[in-house]
Amino acid sequence: MATGRTGWMKKIINDLKKSIDKNRPPNTINIMEVCGTHTMAISRSGLRQLLPDELNLISGPGCPVCVTSNRDIDHIIGIIRDYPVTLFTFGDMIRVPGTDSSLQLEKSRGKDVRICYSPMDAFDYAKKNPDREVVFIAIGFETTAPLTAVLIKRAYGEDLKNFHIFNTHKLVPPALELLLLDKEINIDAFLCPGHVSAIIGSIPYQFIADKYNIPCVISGFEPVDILESLDMILGQYNKGRASVQIQYDRVVKPEGNPTAAALIEEVFEPADSFWRGIGNLPLTGLKLRDRYMRFDAAVLFPVKTIDSKEPPGCKCGDVLKGILKPFECRLFARACTPENPVGPCMVSSEGSCAAYYKYERTKI
Ligand code: SF4
């Protein structure tokens, strides 16, 4: 008899199967996981193959590298081409193709592009090299925005003139509402992101349950966390009710992290934001408040207008909205592989296409 965690997982899977009406057609309960770390965990653990056929797990726009728009990538490439700056970026971003180049290509042409593991690397470099203009690509959701805010406040306090951010920070809850309003997408429940929710708490999702009657469960990242979360979702779904529950309660509190949230509020304000393959979504991003605007690299380093284009044939936009599964893109595992990625969803370690390629290709 299976014991411990394995036994617990088997029990939850059996409970899930028992709780679903057997007359339902396959793939008719659509549950979107909004976080790239969840997508990877689901693919890596093989959960999809263990779940009842009626459950359809859809990957959403939760990978920060993947949702960064092509026009932002093109602007960053324009900066490194046109200005003598040192650019710091997280690793995955360097390989994302822009319209006619990538940061990796520009680096190979001699531009000063450096991979960092923390924004502090960029900040420290700027302090030690006051004659060099330094730009850090600030990507991510509410999880990473507080650290960016800390650095901006420090740069302001220390009157550091050569540190700048190219800001692409985005917000999760308003983006979820826009997905619900999109008639092409059919979402029955959200598996909400654990890391983002550690900052914002559960309250910002309440409108999804109240206004749209869509269950939300904030989940941890272990396979057993995800299974428990799905069980909680079905508990709501089967009763026709919707609420916001926290499965990941060892980390996430309803009120979130007020200190981190206050930092975001102090340094940033909500603004429209361009999302890869989706377009300009109202009030789904963050922009620096006027007081800190001098740190904004996009303003300080304008580039000539670029007619940004998605890579031909790439369906990242539809993949990010959950309309298509990665293997439904004609380029998947053919022209587009992790070694030769066409779009960011295949580049990023949290991208849906990379997850399916690495862990689920043989099962499709
Ligand atoms: Fe884009 Fe490649 Fe994914 Fe197709 S498989 S959507 S080309 S990243």
Side-chain angles (χ1 to χ4, degrees):
M1 198 175 88
T3 55
R5 187 172 290 206
T6 310
W8 180 234
M9 286 173 61
K10 281 188 174 168
K11 180 187 176 316
I12 302 173
I13 291 167
N14 280 336
D15 288 349
L16 288 172
K17 287 181 177 160
K18 278 189 217 150
S19 70
I20 295 175
D21 176 358
K22 288 290 152 283
N23 296 318
R24 278 194 88 100
N27 294 322
T28 48
I29 304 175
N30 299 312
I31 301 171
M32 176 175 275
E33 86 269 2
V34 185
C35 173
T37 312
H38 280 146
T39 301
M40 270 293 164
I42 290 164
S43 288
R44 189 188 307 117
S45 61
L47 274 188
R48 210 181 310 277
Q49 284 71 35
L50 300 174
L51 293 173
D53 292 344
E54 295 81 0
L55 292 188
N56 182 29
L57 297 187
I58 319 168
S59 305
C63 153
V65 170
C66 306
V67 297
T68 301
S69 73
N70 217 19
R71 54 178 266 158
D72 283 338
I73 304 269
D74 287 339
H75 191 149
I76 295 164
I77 290 169
I79 290 174
I80 195 78
R81 278 176 174 166
D82 294 352
Y83 300 90
V85 305
T86 297
L87 186 83
F88 281 84
T89 177
F90 292 129
D92 283 347
M93 196 60 124
I94 199 166
R95 298 181 64 224
V96 175
T99 299
D100 66 358
S101 185
S102 68
L103 292 175
Q104 190 169 45
L105 193 56
E106 295 303 321
K107 184 175 171 63
S108 72
R109 290 171 177 159
K111 302 299 183 188
D112 193 0
V113 179
R114 302 177 186 215
I115 291 173
C116 61
Y117 299 97
S118 158
M120 276 307 296
D121 298 343
F123 186 86
D124 289 343
Y125 182 87
K127 279 189 78 166
K128 285 185 195 140
N129 298 274
D131 298 332
R132 188 78 182 157
E133 298 287 357
V134 175
V135 176
F136 167 67
I137 306 176
I139 65 167
F141 302 99
E142 291 91 335
T143 329
T144 49
L147 184 51
T148 307
V150 166
L151 292 183
I152 292 293
K153 278 190 68 177
R154 273 191 65 183
Y156 185 85
E158 296 177 25
D159 199 21
L160 192 59
K161 294 197 166 41
N162 62 327
F163 175 74
H164 317 283
I165 62 166
F166 192 97
N167 170 37
T168 72
H169 282 305
K170 293 181 169 41
L171 300 171
V172 168
L176 299 191
E177 180 162 35
L178 292 169
L179 289 176
L180 289 173
L181 293 172
D182 190 324
K183 296 277 180 278
E184 277 190 283
I185 313 165
N186 185 11
I187 297 167
D188 295 307
F190 283 118
L191 196 74
C192 294
H195 298 139
V196 164
S197 305
I199 305 295
I200 66 173
S202 59
I203 296 159
Y205 304 107
Q206 192 59 46
F207 75 94
I208 297 173
D210 295 346
K211 196 166 155 192
Y212 298 98
N213 200 38
I214 297 288
C216 296
V217 174
I218 298 165
S219 178
F221 299 96
E222 296 295 325
V224 70
D225 288 326
I226 296 170
L227 285 174
E228 281 185 2
S229 299
L230 293 174
D231 199 30
M232 292 162 84
I233 284 175
L234 277 191
Q236 296 185 39
Y237 182 82
N238 286 337
K239 291 185 189 128
R241 293 204 198 123
S243 63
V244 183
Q245 291 178 286
I246 306 174
Q247 181 279 334
Y248 198 28
D249 58 3
R250 59 190 185 273
V251 172
V252 176
K253 304 288 167 249
E255 68 279 13
N257 180 332
T259 307
L263 273 168
I264 298 177
E265 171 74 20
E266 183 181 344
V267 172
F268 295 103
E269 61 187 63
D272 298 353
S273 183
F274 275 86
W275 295 60
R276 159 81 58 168
I278 303 174
N280 189 25
L281 300 184
L283 300 178
T284 59
L286 291 169
K287 74 169 187 174
L288 287 168
R289 292 190 180 276
D290 288 346
R291 182 183 199 194
Y292 301 110
M293 196 51 93
R294 71 179 163 88
F295 298 102
D296 190 329
V299 175
L300 198 67
F301 304 112
V303 296
K304 64 178 183 303
T305 309
I306 306 154
D307 184 16
S308 292
K309 292 190 177 68
E310 296 299 321
C314 176
K315 300 290 183 190
C316 276
D318 287 346
V319 169
L320 290 167
K321 288 199 284 185
I323 294 172
L324 289 184
K325 304 267 189 189
F327 54 82
E328 292 174 298
C329 169
R330 283 192 304 111
L331 306 187
F332 179 81
R334 296 183 183 92
C336 183
T337 64
E339 292 72 37
N340 290 299
V342 175
C345 300
M346 189 61 93
V347 173
S348 171
S349 57
E350 294 195 342
S352 308
C353 298
Y356 273 76
Y357 185 92
K358 193 165 180 194
Y359 298 111
E360 301 196 68
R361 196 160 33 114
T362 54
K363 300 167 192 153
I364 295 162

